[in-house]
């Protein structure tokens, strides 16, 4: 019989609300919302099945426990999927396989009356297996490479949170004993190794990207060598990246990067803006509207952004430079 007294809708909403306080602070708004929505949706679907499916025979306490287990693992693995660097179009596929696995294993183990600890152990084993199977399948299809698959496989938000909790407890104990904070954790290296200049440069770039608009970051990363782009993404997820790189290393790498940058050309965004301002300065607003009336919307935005001193970054600089030159030459 179905679990009639289980208010699964309120319970799922409650779980999603709690998750808002636990989502990693380094996630952007879209990533945070994905975690919350995924947890909420899977909690709602499983709760609905447990409450309304006449073929199931769980009491209210069991239904709540199963739904909560699904919510917890949905939270942890959606965080892992995001941190893995796997393209967003594959997130739902991975998470659906995991949620289905949890639900099926939970139904079987609870129906068999296994001890709670054994149930949790079996569910954890099968969650990890289904996650690895899903990312291995992506690799075999050519959707991701082996390096990204291995990096994705190494993600474990559950282990990370447990470690952070242990460190916080240790820190509290050390503070109570008067031990200096800088001596509390000697196991984590505070700087990246200095033997590989490229590693340091990529880590320094990651430091800069963490402070930038993520859409802009993705546009830039698309121009990187794929392996370098994955390395930058990996370094961006290091919580204490600035401390590990070190101020001296970061300054040295920034200077090297600046020295090796190509010289400014007509295709640079600043040059394009200047050219368009020169073009537009010859006309009144009404005349400019008439000239641009037959142009595509992207060209119009390029020009009007330039009038405000901004570059329309949806258009590649080389294309924008050609457009600017065309407009100037057509005067």
């Amino acid at each position: 019989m179905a679990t009639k007294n289980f208010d699964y809708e309120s319970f799922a909403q409650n779980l999603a609300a709690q998750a808002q306080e636990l989502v990693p602070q380094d996630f952007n708004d879209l990533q945070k919302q994905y975690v919350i929505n995924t947890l909420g949706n899977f909690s709602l679907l499983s709760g609905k099945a447990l409450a309304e499916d006449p073929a199931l025979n769980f009491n209210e306490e069991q239904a709540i426990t199963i739904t909560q287990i699904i919510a917890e693992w949905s939270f942890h693995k959606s965080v892992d999927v995001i941190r893995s660097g796997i393209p967003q179009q594959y997130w739902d596929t991975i998470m659906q396989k995991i949620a289905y696995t949890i639900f099926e294993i939970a139904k079987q183990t609870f129906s068999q009356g296994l001890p709670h600890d054994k149930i949790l152990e079996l569910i954890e084993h099968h969650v990890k297996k289904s996650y690895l199977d899903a990312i291995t399948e992506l690799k075999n299809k050519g959707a991701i490479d082996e390096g990204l698959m291995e990096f994705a496989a190494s993600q474990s938000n559950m282990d990370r949170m447990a470690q952070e909790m242990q460190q916080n407890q240790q820190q509290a104990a050390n503070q109570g004993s008067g031990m200096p904070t800088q001596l509390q954790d000697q196991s984590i290296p505070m700087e990246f190794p200095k033997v590989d200049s490229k590693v340091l440069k990529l880590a320094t770039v990651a430091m800069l990207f963490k402070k930038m608009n993520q859409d802009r970051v993705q546009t830039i990363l698309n121009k990187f060598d794929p392996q370098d782009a994955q390395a930058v993404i990996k370094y961006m997820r290091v919580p204490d990246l600035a401390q590990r790189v070190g101020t001296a290393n970061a300054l040295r790498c920034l200077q090297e990067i600046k020295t090796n940058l190509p010289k400014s050309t007509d295709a640079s965004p600043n040059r394009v803006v200047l050219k368009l301002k020169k073009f537009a300065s010859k006309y009144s607003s009404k005349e400019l509207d008439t000239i641009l009336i037959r142009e595509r919307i992207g060209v119009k935005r390029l020009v009007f952004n330039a009038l405000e001193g901004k570059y329309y970054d949806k258009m590649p600089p080389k294309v924008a430079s050609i457009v600017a030159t065309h407009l100037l030459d057509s005067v």
Side-chain angles (χ1 to χ4, degrees):
M1 56 180 292
T3 311
K4 297 295 184 182
N5 296 326
F6 180 30
D7 185 0
Y8 61 88
E9 291 185 352
S10 296
F11 190 58
Q13 291 172 2
N14 190 334
L15 292 171
Q18 293 179 43
Q20 295 183 28
E21 305 299 323
L22 300 173
V23 179
Q25 294 303 304
D26 59 321
F27 279 13
N28 61 39
D29 290 342
L30 290 176
Q31 292 169 332
K32 290 178 181 178
Q33 202 58 51
Y34 180 81
V35 174
I36 295 167
N37 289 346
T38 299
L39 179 152
N41 290 338
F42 288 155
S43 301
L44 184 65
L45 290 173
S46 60
K48 180 179 175 65
L50 292 165
E52 299 180 0
D53 189 345
L56 300 177
N57 190 28
F58 297 119
N59 60 38
E60 184 178 357
E61 182 180 351
Q62 290 173 321
I64 288 174
T65 301
I66 293 173
T67 304
Q68 189 162 7
I69 291 172
I70 289 176
E72 290 176 356
W73 276 113
S74 297
F75 175 85
H76 289 302
K77 297 316 292 182
S78 60
V79 170
D80 290 345
V81 167
I82 292 172
R83 282 186 170 142
S84 73
I86 290 174
Q88 185 173 354
Q89 69 232 49
Y90 304 117
W91 293 355
D92 285 347
T93 301
I94 296 173
M95 292 306 304
Q96 286 164 6
K97 291 179 179 179
I98 292 172
Y100 175 79
T101 296
I102 300 170
F103 191 69
E104 291 302 310
I105 298 300
K107 284 196 303 181
Q108 294 174 26
T109 53
F110 273 87
S111 295
Q112 294 168 10
L114 296 181
H116 191 67
D117 289 347
K118 185 64 175 178
I119 290 175
L120 295 181
E121 181 184 333
L122 285 170
I123 289 175
E124 180 175 2
H125 168 76
H126 284 282
V127 165
K128 291 179 177 179
K129 183 178 183 301
S130 64
Y131 175 67
L132 291 175
D133 288 346
I135 60 179
T136 301
E137 184 178 343
L138 289 177
K139 185 261 181 183
N140 292 338
K141 289 180 177 179
I144 61 175
D145 60 24
E146 187 168 354
L148 182 53
M149 181 191 72
E150 291 177 356
F151 182 70
S154 71
Q155 300 302 310
S156 178
N157 187 63
M158 176 170 280
D159 291 344
R160 182 190 295 237
M161 289 184 70
Q163 184 179 11
E164 288 176 353
M165 185 179 298
Q166 184 178 9
Q167 289 174 349
N168 289 338
Q169 292 172 347
Q170 183 64 44
Q171 183 178 5
N174 289 337
Q175 288 175 344
S177 64
M179 181 180 292
T181 303
Q182 61 268 30
L183 298 181
Q184 290 171 12
D185 189 357
Q186 297 290 350
S187 64
I188 301 177
M190 292 308 293
E191 291 193 356
F192 272 76
K194 299 180 180 180
V195 295
D196 191 340
S197 178
K198 183 176 182 180
V199 169
L200 283 171
K201 287 178 182 177
L202 293 175
T204 301
V205 169
M207 286 173 55
L208 297 176
F209 282 2
K210 288 179 75 169
K211 299 180 181 297
M212 291 173 57
N213 177 280
Q214 293 306 297
D215 290 338
R216 179 63 175 156
V217 167
Q218 189 59 56
T219 300
I220 298 173
L221 283 175
N222 289 340
K223 301 176 183 178
F224 276 47
D225 174 86
Q227 290 186 346
D228 290 347
Q230 289 302 328
V232 170
I233 291 172
K234 180 175 69 174
Y235 296 143
M236 287 176 69
R237 297 192 182 94
V238 176
D240 55 349
L241 181 61
Q243 289 82 1
R244 294 196 182 204
V245 171
T247 303
N249 285 335
L251 291 174
R252 176 168 57 84
C253 288
L254 286 173
Q255 185 58 47
E256 288 184 22
I257 292 171
K258 181 179 178 181
T259 301
N260 294 321
L261 283 175
K263 301 300 180 182
S264 178
T265 67
D266 283 344
S268 71
N270 286 340
R271 289 293 185 90
V272 171
V273 170
L274 291 174
K275 287 168 70 173
L276 290 171
K277 278 187 171 182
K278 180 180 178 181
F279 155 73
S281 65
K282 302 178 182 296
Y283 304 98
S284 66
S285 297
K286 186 175 181 179
E287 290 172 332
L288 196 58
D289 287 338
T290 302
I291 293 171
L292 296 175
I293 194 170
R294 295 182 180 277
E295 298 290 348
R296 291 170 297 170
I297 187 66
V299 173
K300 295 176 182 177
R301 288 179 178 173
L302 180 69
V303 174
F304 291 126
N305 276 22
L307 291 177
E308 298 177 3
K310 301 175 184 177
Y311 179 70
Y312 179 58
D313 58 8
K314 300 296 184 182
M315 185 177 294
K318 288 184 179 179
V319 176
S321 179
I322 294 172
V323 171
T325 300
H326 164 74
L327 292 173
L328 276 170
D329 292 344
S330 64
V331 174

